[in-house]
Amino acid sequence: MSRVYNFSAGPAVLPEEVLKEAAEEMLDYQGSGMSVMEMSHRSKVYDNIIKTAEADLRELMDIPDNYKVLFLQGGASQQFAMVPMNLMKNKKAAYIVTGQWAKKAFQEAQAYGEAVKVASSEDKTFSYIPDCSDLDIPEDADYVYICENNTIYGTKYKTLPNTKGHTLVADVSSCFLSEPVDVSKYGIIYGGVQKNIGPAGVVIAIIREDLITEDTLPGTPTMLKYKTHADAESLYNTPPAYGIYICGKVFQWLKKMGGLNAMKERNEEKAKILYDFLDGSSMFQGTVRKEDRSLMNVPFVTGDKELDAKFVKEAEAAGFVNLKGHRTVGGMRASIYNAMPKEGVEKLVAFMKKFEEEN
């Protein structure tokens, strides 16, 4: 069985060389006589795995010293509650709703205080990013929240919102490590790793230290306090040990590939191949305003539901899998994360051209 081109939005494609390395170490990790899946998270061997992973991530993202890196569980969706529980001191926060996940975060926050929707692109099915240069942000808002890359709708902030001095919190699940980022612009930058970094089950949260306090909302469970995990260096309870180990391997692969500047170049080149084809095609069209297009998630349609379904089916038979769009929007979506080789995008475009000619 040869490997397919996997365009899944997450869990998603991982670098082949990382998978091969993990396979080689499956039964015996570096002479320990056991798998990483089996070892104690309190052991010296594992401690080295998690500490190295953190050090490599800090180097890749150039994370300032006054930020903590936490390896957490519960998916990005658990952060929808953790963020307000830990940050809503004035019981008020501003949300910019540009897709399904920002909307869910906004709804969740309403359980903990006043969540104010300061901008939204729902009027056009989230196909653009609203102008966030001069928003009406409440003076006493504890933070401004965004989902930076919208997996389902294929949009991405090219300019961060003007938060007018308020703390910025960003869910970067689907653009994590796809390009360089200035961590100091964020109070919290977090994401589930199952799109661009590793297997499902790990969330990485990078949090400015002054935001990590005992002063959380009353009733916040111990496990949902950032301080619990920061104080215990992500080892308060058993972490998703194997997932973190794979993330660590991906960080090393990214360093070997030349870091985030090199990834950005690669990602721009890959996305251009697909977007250029969509812009010139008479059958397929992209669904996002050009200036807001994501480099990671590319939704497109033919305009005919039956033709969409036919395309997805024939593509799968040809080895291009998981191209069906999210159930809320239909159509198709190609997720072309870091680990998707350029050749995968080129072959997909060649297949699309052929499909267009035949139909």
Side-chain angles (χ1 to χ4, degrees):
M1 170 71 190
S2 64
R3 280 174 62 78
V4 293
Y5 288 109
N6 177 10
F7 292 94
S8 167
V13 60
L14 284 165
E16 204 160 307
E17 110 193 30
V18 166
L19 296 174
K20 283 181 173 151
E21 219 174 273
E24 278 161 25
E25 293 174 345
M26 179 53 88
L27 294 175
D28 177 11
Y29 176 73
Q30 297 189 355
S32 65
M34 58 186 152
S35 172
V36 175
M37 278 189 198
E38 307 171 290
M39 63 179 56
S40 163
H41 61 295
R42 306 280 176 208
S43 65
K44 268 207 164 60
V45 189
Y46 190 75
D47 198 56
N48 186 46
I49 290 173
I50 193 168
K51 292 237 179 0
T52 304
E54 179 180 336
D56 286 339
L57 180 63
R58 283 185 175 276
E59 185 186 324
L60 277 167
M61 291 180 76
D62 199 10
I63 298 172
D65 292 342
N66 64 323
Y67 282 74
K68 291 270 195 235
V69 172
L70 306 180
F71 294 99
L72 306 170
Q73 300 179 70
S77 298
Q78 184 155 289
Q79 294 303 308
F80 300 169
M82 257 178 114
V83 168
M85 282 176 163
N86 285 270
L87 263 53
M88 258 196 187
K89 317 289 188 206
N90 298 324
K91 291 290 197 78
K92 192 179 282 185
Y95 279 72
I96 302 170
V97 178
T98 51
Q100 185 107 327
W101 305 113
K103 188 177 178 178
K104 286 191 168 168
F106 167 66
Q107 288 165 339
E108 186 79 11
Q110 290 166 15
Y112 303 101
E114 191 188 338
V116 182
K117 193 192 291 185
V118 291
S120 169
S121 54
E122 198 161 5
D123 62 329
K124 292 186 180 157
T125 331
F126 300 125
S127 60
Y128 69 102
I129 298 288
D131 176 2
C132 299
S133 58
D134 186 20
L135 299 172
D136 190 9
I137 297 166
E139 242 348 83
D140 56 346
D142 292 300
Y143 58 88
V144 176
Y145 183 100
I146 62 169
C147 178
E148 197 163 317
N149 186 89
N150 297 285
T151 325
I152 295 175
Y153 301 96
T155 57
K156 163 86 164 67
Y157 285 79
K158 302 293 159 75
T159 311
L160 291 175
N162 172 6
T163 64
K164 301 185 173 172
H166 296 82
T167 297
L168 179 64
V169 177
D171 172 355
V172 295
S173 295
S174 52
C175 59
F176 223 155
L177 299 182
S178 62
E179 57 182 24
V181 52
D182 180 355
V183 175
S184 69
K185 289 182 174 169
Y186 305 82
I188 300 181
I189 179 170
Y190 79 84
V193 303
Q194 72 276 10
K195 297 172 183 297
N196 217 15
I197 303 174
V202 185
V203 171
I204 298 172
I206 301 161
I207 309 178
R208 209 175 58 227
E209 283 174 352
D210 61 287
L211 299 172
I212 302 174
T213 64
E214 279 293 2
D215 178 23
T216 55
L217 293 187
T220 300
T222 305
M223 277 294 287
L224 298 186
K225 293 176 180 174
Y226 291 130
K227 195 170 190 323
T228 301
H229 301 283
D231 289 352
E233 298 185 321
S234 299
L235 294 166
Y236 173 75
N237 69 329
T238 310
Y242 194 80
I244 294 167
Y245 151 79
I246 300 288
C247 292
K249 287 209 173 299
V250 171
F251 300 155
Q252 284 171 351
W253 175 78
L254 286 167
K255 281 169 65 173
K256 200 169 94 183
M257 298 301 286
L260 301 191
N261 282 308
M263 289 322 292
K264 181 175 196 237
E265 264 174 53
R266 279 185 47 162
N267 289 327
E268 284 175 342
E269 191 187 351
K270 284 189 310 196
K272 187 177 184 328
I273 294 167
L274 186 45
Y275 283 125
D276 282 355
F277 169 73
L278 290 172
D279 289 343
S281 166
S282 54
M283 176 184 280
F284 298 100
Q285 52 270 318
T287 56
V288 172
R289 186 168 74 179
K290 278 188 184 173
E291 56 268 37
D292 300 323
R293 285 170 165 176
S294 164
L295 294 178
M296 297 285 100
N297 312 100
V298 185
F300 55 96
V301 293
T302 62
D304 175 338
K305 284 193 170 130
E306 280 169 28
L307 201 54
D308 286 353
K310 184 181 184 199
F311 173 79
V312 170
K313 194 177 169 191
E314 288 184 14
E316 186 155 345
F320 305 100
V321 305
N322 294 317
L323 279 165
K324 192 175 179 202
H326 191 272
R327 59 182 186 278
T328 58
V329 282
M332 283 74 68
R333 169 182 51 180
S335 293
I336 49 177
Y337 298 122
N338 284 343
M340 172 58 67
K342 181 178 157 189
E343 151 192 298
V345 181
E346 289 170 336
K347 287 189 170 168
L348 173 65
V349 164
F351 176 80
M352 289 168 79
K353 277 184 182 147
K354 184 168 158 280
F355 183 88
E356 184 169 336
E357 283 156 18
E358 291 168 0
N359 290 275

